[in-house]
Amino acid sequence: MPSFLKLIWINAGIYFSIIIWTLTGVIISPLCYLFFTRILKWEKPATLRKMIWYYGWTCSKLMSVFMDIKWPVQQQLPSPCIIVANHGSFFDPYLVSFQPQNNICMAVRNWPFKIPFYGFYMKLAGYINVETDNLDVIIEQAATAANDGATLMFFPEGTRSKDGQLSRFHSGPFHIAMQTGLPVVPLCITGTYNMLPRGHMVIRPAKIRGEILDPIYPEQFKNMHNAHIELRRAVKKTMVASIREMNQKM
Amino acid sequence: MTDEEIIKRINSALAEEFELELDEMVPEAVFKDDLDLDSLDAVDMVIVLEQEFGIKIKKDEAFKAIRTLGDLHTFILSKKSEAA
């Protein structure tokens, strides 16, 4: 297929299918939510988290029709745990649904809570607002979600990468790991920056690959000075090496 | 502890937390524009400073008005003198 036609095919396909699926979700999700929580008596926040995961997973599946997306054979993750993923593109929050856990509690900034429909569901799902000025509240929310069987998901860069490289990590997830003892599971995604860099609207063809790395346990850092910084460094180091290796394989 | 020592400790704690170079840590440095720190970093900054100096910063309205490293130095120095 000529590259211009391919570009139209990819953009029309991905945007159109995600918009249609989102509108479908807007219509059917309240009914599903009521059915699961009222009839089947499922736990409310967990139900919503699984519904959001399913929405993201379906978006990712739809994307994979138009884009070369390969995810590794699923490995079992420790449960609960803290997943930290790199963030190159708008589509990363959808693509992380390919990892094996479906009860995912995302940690997000203030602004997504203001998105109509999305924000309302995020609040109901108990998503963590990391832009509050109080770590105690954040840790309390994280512990509540973890006790509820949820896996915590962070993008420690806090925003999409400006240049495709791994940016500085914020400390939030590493403070939580040190205080709760939850293991940190690095999740590396490559290709999404090439697919749709920050500030762009046109999706370009790219090879999207995901890799789940071995868990890193906070116990080994607990006697160190500034333990959260040491844990943060260790996680980032392993992610940098893995992303480099993944890019070389492309 | 002298004011100079306190300022030194503030700078080295922030440099380690935010992966900054010490020579960037000048009083007139604006957090957002010069040090590339945003509202998400404010959460980490509160924790670092509370741990470093054993003070309470949470819910302090004066902290929210801080824009430069010099403002922060002044804020911490006044906190320390209050505690003394």
Side-chain angles (χ1 to χ4, degrees):
Chain A
M1 195 189 288
S3 59
F4 181 67
L5 285 178
K6 192 176 182 180
L7 214 57
I8 292 173
W9 164 248
I10 288 170
N11 280 271
I14 290 177
Y15 280 128
F16 184 72
S17 61
I18 287 181
I19 288 167
I20 292 294
W21 172 233
T22 303
L23 291 173
T24 307
V26 169
I27 295 161
I28 66 167
S29 60
L31 300 170
C32 294
Y33 182 66
L34 287 172
F35 174 76
F36 291 136
T37 56
R38 295 283 167 89
I39 310 294
L40 300 183
K41 304 287 183 199
W42 288 8
E43 286 289 327
K44 284 179 184 172
T47 299
L48 213 41
R49 287 195 288 262
K50 288 174 185 175
M51 282 171 60
I52 294 171
W53 168 85
Y54 182 69
Y55 162 77
W57 181 84
T58 307
C59 286
S60 301
K61 280 287 179 192
L62 291 168
M63 268 189 259
S64 65
V65 173
F66 307 95
M67 189 71 67
D68 177 6
I69 300 174
K70 283 195 180 69
W71 212 250
V73 176
Q74 301 297 5
Q75 62 171 3
Q76 209 51 41
L77 302 186
S79 183
C81 68
I82 300 170
I83 296 176
V84 296
N86 58 309
H87 197 5
S89 159
F90 167 81
F91 290 111
D92 296 332
Y94 298 111
L95 290 161
V96 293
S97 58
F98 276 147
Q99 52 69 46
Q101 306 284 16
N102 61 13
N103 183 356
I104 295 287
C105 179
M106 287 237 181
V108 286
R109 300 183 79 131
N110 263 333
W111 68 265
F113 285 99
K114 294 174 182 146
I115 303 171
F117 184 72
Y118 274 59
F120 174 69
Y121 272 17
M122 283 182 192
K123 283 190 191 110
L124 279 183
Y127 277 19
I128 300 163
N129 182 344
V130 287
E131 231 166 340
T132 67
D133 60 353
N134 195 332
L135 185 75
D136 296 340
V137 173
I138 294 170
I139 288 173
E140 197 182 317
Q141 281 181 295
T144 302
N147 290 335
D148 200 15
T151 291
L152 308 174
M153 168 81 70
F154 283 80
F155 291 104
E157 294 161 281
T159 186
R160 284 168 291 164
S161 172
K162 293 183 180 80
D163 56 5
Q165 302 301 309
L166 210 54
S167 313
R168 179 171 58 84
F169 278 11
H170 290 85
S171 288
F174 308 103
H175 278 299
I176 293 169
M178 291 314 306
Q179 297 227 13
T180 60
L182 293 174
V184 178
V185 177
L187 190 157
C188 301
I189 309 165
T190 58
T192 54
Y193 180 80
N194 295 333
M195 175 189 175
L196 189 73
R198 185 178 174 151
H200 289 66
M201 287 295 289
V202 178
I203 300 168
R204 297 177 303 185
K207 287 181 178 177
I208 311 295
R209 300 290 180 267
E211 195 77 57
I212 299 165
L213 309 183
D214 290 335
I216 296 175
Y217 290 85
E219 289 87 37
Q220 55 188 302
F221 300 93
K222 71 178 179 200
N223 295 325
M224 295 181 184
H225 173 67
N226 277 336
H228 74 280
I229 294 178
E230 296 303 329
L231 173 61
R232 190 180 77 194
R233 282 183 184 143
V235 171
K236 189 172 179 183
K237 190 178 168 190
T238 186
M239 286 178 78
V240 166
S242 177
I243 289 168
R244 190 184 303 124
E245 204 176 297
M246 288 163 76
N247 282 327
Q248 281 167 354
K249 281 183 196 167
M250 296 255 225
Chain B
M1 209 187 308
T2 65
D3 288 1
E4 205 170 303
E5 285 168 332
I6 291 172
I7 287 168
K8 217 176 224 179
R9 274 179 64 183
I10 294 169
N11 291 354
S12 63
L14 295 188
E16 186 165 27
E17 175 66 36
F18 300 119
E19 298 174 12
L20 297 165
E21 297 298 329
L22 276 171
D23 57 3
E24 293 178 274
M25 313 288 283
V26 291
E28 57 275 16
V30 179
F31 285 122
K32 194 174 186 315
D33 303 334
D34 301 325
L35 302 179
D36 202 23
L37 303 182
D38 61 11
S39 54
L40 206 51
D41 293 305
V43 179
D44 294 338
M45 197 183 291
V46 167
I47 301 157
V48 167
L49 295 169
E50 285 187 344
Q51 283 176 349
E52 187 70 26
F53 295 104
I55 52 174
K56 281 274 168 244
I57 297 173
K58 274 172 219 148
K59 294 172 187 162
D60 195 316
E61 287 305 311
F63 181 77
K64 288 174 184 165
I66 288 170
R67 294 288 170 269
T68 67
L69 187 58
D71 294 344
L72 182 68
H73 292 162
T74 308
F75 173 81
I76 297 293
L77 289 170
S78 72
K79 278 270 177 194
K80 289 298 285 178
S81 62
E82 276 171 30

